[in-house]
């Protein structure tokens, strides 16, 4: 026998799975090959007893200019998938870390030509050489540093470890 509580729990789990799939389609505006799920900034999804959807987001860093754009994209995606009154909340603690970027996200960064965050030698995403040097603390965005490979001579961004 299935109880109404089990149905509610089952329905809630199904909605949460739909929410995660929806958010996987929201691209980071600064690195469009990454979804916000790949980036690890979606901290939670859920639905309360009244049917209101909530999504918790952590900014990559304080003052990130993409935060407002990401919230707007999330609201638009949720509305397009049938959740027009979803709550989007800031989750500031614990602070976001590059450790939260998924393995798939790191692979996508590499394929896009951005060295994923690493603690140690930074390998060139084009030729794989670790014989690289930092040219500037800041690259195309504040969360990236500009590097150059001394083997293939190509410049590239490195996503900083945070």
């Amino acid at each position: 026998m299935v109880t109404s509580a089990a149905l509610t729990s089952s329905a809630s789990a199904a909605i949460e799975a739909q929410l995660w799939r929806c958010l996987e389609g929201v691209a980071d505006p600064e690195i469009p090959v990454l979804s916000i799920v790949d980036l690890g900034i979606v901290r939670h999804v859920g639905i309360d007893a009244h049917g209101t959807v909530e999504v918790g987001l952590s900014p990559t860093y304080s003052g990130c200019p993409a935060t407002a754009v990401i919230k707007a994209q999330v609201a638009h995606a949720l509305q397009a998938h049938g959740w027009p009154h979803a709550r989007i909340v800031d989750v500031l603690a614990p602070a976001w870390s590059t450790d939260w970027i998924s393995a798939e996200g790191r692979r996508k960064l590499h394929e896009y030509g951005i060295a994923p965050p690493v603690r140690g030698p930074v390998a060139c995403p084009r030729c794989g050489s670790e014989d690289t040097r930092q040219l500037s603390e800041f690259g195309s965005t504040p969360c990236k540093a500009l590097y150059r490979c001394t083997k293939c001579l190509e410049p590239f961004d490195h996503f900083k470890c945070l």
Side-chain angles (χ1 to χ4, degrees):
M1 173 190 228
V2 178
T3 65
S4 61
L7 287 174
T8 302
S9 176
S10 176
S12 178
I15 290 171
E16 287 179 15
Q18 290 172 1
L19 288 166
W20 283 107
R21 283 192 301 276
C22 172
L23 296 173
E24 286 170 351
V26 177
D28 177 79
E30 293 177 340
I31 309 171
V33 296
L34 289 184
S35 77
I36 61 172
V37 173
D38 290 328
L39 195 53
I41 66 171
V42 179
R43 302 310 306 142
H44 68 265
V45 299
I47 185 162
D48 68 17
H50 303 290
T52 302
V53 164
E54 181 176 288
V55 174
L57 299 175
S58 288
T60 54
Y61 66 93
S62 178
C64 176
T67 302
V69 174
I70 291 169
K71 285 181 179 179
Q73 289 177 326
V74 167
H76 178 74
L78 293 172
Q79 183 173 4
H81 284 85
W83 298 293
H85 304 293
R87 279 191 311 263
I88 301 168
V89 298
D90 293 323
V91 180
L92 303 178
W96 179 83
S97 164
T98 51
D99 294 340
W100 297 353
I101 298 174
S102 69
E104 178 70 6
R106 290 169 189 277
R107 183 192 63 74
K108 288 176 182 178
L109 282 171
H110 179 80
E111 287 181 359
Y112 193 60
I114 299 172
V118 293
R119 301 187 197 294
V122 175
C124 173
R126 291 175 178 78
C127 73
S129 172
E130 290 183 351
D131 190 6
T132 62
R133 68 180 193 120
Q134 185 177 3
L135 299 177
S136 174
E137 179 71 23
F138 297 101
S140 59
T141 62
C143 59
K144 293 179 280 200
L146 180 61
Y147 274 68
R148 175 174 299 232
C149 177
T150 57
K151 182 176 178 186
C152 72
L153 303 179
E154 288 293 321
F156 64 91
D157 277 334
H158 169 246
F159 202 111
K160 298 176 191 175
C161 288
L162 298 174

